[in-house]
Amino acid sequence: MNKILIIEDDIDIAMIEKDYLEMDGFIVEIATNGISGLEKSLNEKFDLILLDLMLPGMDGFSICKKLRKHLSIPILIVSARQDDNDKIRGLGIGADDYIEKPFSPSVLAARVKANISQYKRLNSKEENEIIIGPISIETKSRRVFVNGNEKYLKNKEYELLLFMAKNIDIVFTRETLYERIWGINALGESATVAVHINRLREKIQEDPANPQYVQTVWGVGYRFKV
């Protein structure tokens, strides 16, 4: 059974999340402050983390940044902060999804299942290494090298690169990429893809403003060009 950690200081919200996820068959634990949440995340094995931003002890942004140095599992931010800058910042430091409060518990559960399924699917491929020009993707270790230098990619950056590298020269819309990588209908979330594409280009392209590999097809979407 998949195990979820909820890091949320509002116990009422945490219990709603817990109840719905347990009804879907998940094992769920709760941490009510940032420091204990970080410690549990690093010392126990979880399949996904639900992370609030405004927490006592340590804020969610700091937790996410620290976790991404050690864990590749999905991290979903669940926050009442609805400013686009918060969303961009969260996704930029490694969160896989951003869910605004108030939320539908059934939608939250659906996103949790989709992120876990997608993570497992993308990590179950038999091919151990993909080499395209100077880019080498080691799928078992989830490591990426460009000209022999390792590049640290956040979870969804890596999954975008892997998916597009397996589908060379195919043009995908933002909506399609969101549905393929995040595992659920875009529902107006396609801007999330643009954030991750830009971050990916900064890490694997010599000139991110004129990308050689992850290219924009204007008016349509993106493709991986070789």
Side-chain angles (χ1 to χ4, degrees):
M1 297 177 68
N2 292 309
K3 188 176 179 182
I4 310 297
L5 175 62
I6 298 171
I7 307 177
E8 168 65 68
D9 64 323
D10 188 323
I11 193 62
D12 291 332
I13 292 176
M15 289 306 299
I16 290 172
E17 295 173 350
K18 184 175 187 290
D19 289 344
Y20 268 81
L21 291 171
E22 287 181 339
M23 284 191 293
D24 276 313
F26 294 104
I27 298 171
V28 183
E29 294 190 14
I30 296 172
T32 57
N33 68 74
I35 295 174
S36 65
L38 178 63
E39 291 176 349
K40 285 181 73 68
S41 300
L42 295 175
N43 295 322
E44 300 179 35
K45 187 180 184 303
F46 295 97
D47 297 286
L48 180 143
I49 296 170
L50 291 175
L51 176 64
D52 188 21
L53 289 180
M54 301 176 68
L55 293 163
M58 181 181 296
D59 67 84
F61 289 123
S62 299
I63 294 171
C64 185
K65 192 171 183 179
K66 289 179 181 294
L67 290 180
R68 272 295 170 249
K69 295 179 180 179
H70 306 281
L71 302 176
S72 63
I73 61 170
I75 298 173
L76 278 60
I77 291 176
V78 184
S79 177
R81 296 171 66 162
Q82 300 181 3
D83 189 284
D84 285 346
N85 289 330
D86 289 325
K87 186 172 185 178
I88 292 170
R89 181 183 176 191
L91 296 171
I93 60 175
D96 297 286
D97 208 346
Y98 193 107
I99 302 169
E100 296 178 359
K101 299 176 184 177
F103 56 84
S104 163
S106 59
V107 170
L108 176 73
R111 291 202 181 187
V112 166
K113 288 187 284 187
N115 273 275
I116 289 177
S117 295
Q118 191 73 351
Y119 177 78
K120 289 184 175 180
R121 184 180 70 80
L122 290 170
N123 284 279
S124 65
K125 300 299 182 183
E126 294 181 358
E127 194 170 10
N128 294 330
E129 186 176 24
I130 298 172
I131 299 175
I132 303 172
I135 302 171
S136 173
I137 306 169
E138 297 183 357
T139 59
K140 282 194 172 182
S141 62
R142 295 174 66 88
R143 300 173 73 188
V144 175
F145 297 85
V146 179
N147 291 317
N149 299 312
E150 185 168 5
K151 304 294 182 178
Y152 178 73
L153 271 59
K154 304 295 194 301
N155 200 29
K156 283 296 187 283
E157 294 167 0
Y158 171 82
E159 292 175 6
L160 268 173
L161 175 62
L162 180 62
F163 177 76
M164 296 183 77
K166 287 178 176 291
N167 294 277
I168 291 172
D169 285 334
I170 298 176
V171 179
F172 295 99
T173 65
R174 288 184 181 182
E175 290 75 15
T176 298
L177 285 172
Y178 188 87
E179 290 165 9
R180 294 292 184 89
I181 303 304
W182 278 260
I184 49 179
N185 189 280
L187 296 174
E189 295 288 347
S190 61
T192 300
V193 174
V195 173
H196 284 81
I197 288 287
N198 288 337
R199 300 277 184 179
L200 179 58
R201 285 172 172 165
E202 290 172 359
K203 294 177 180 180
I204 69 167
Q205 300 279 187
E206 184 176 341
D207 182 3
N210 296 286
Q212 179 181 353
Y213 299 106
V214 183
Q215 296 183 347
T216 299
V217 179
W218 296 108
V220 184
Y222 304 100
R223 68 179 172 188
F224 195 98
K225 182 70 175 176
V226 296

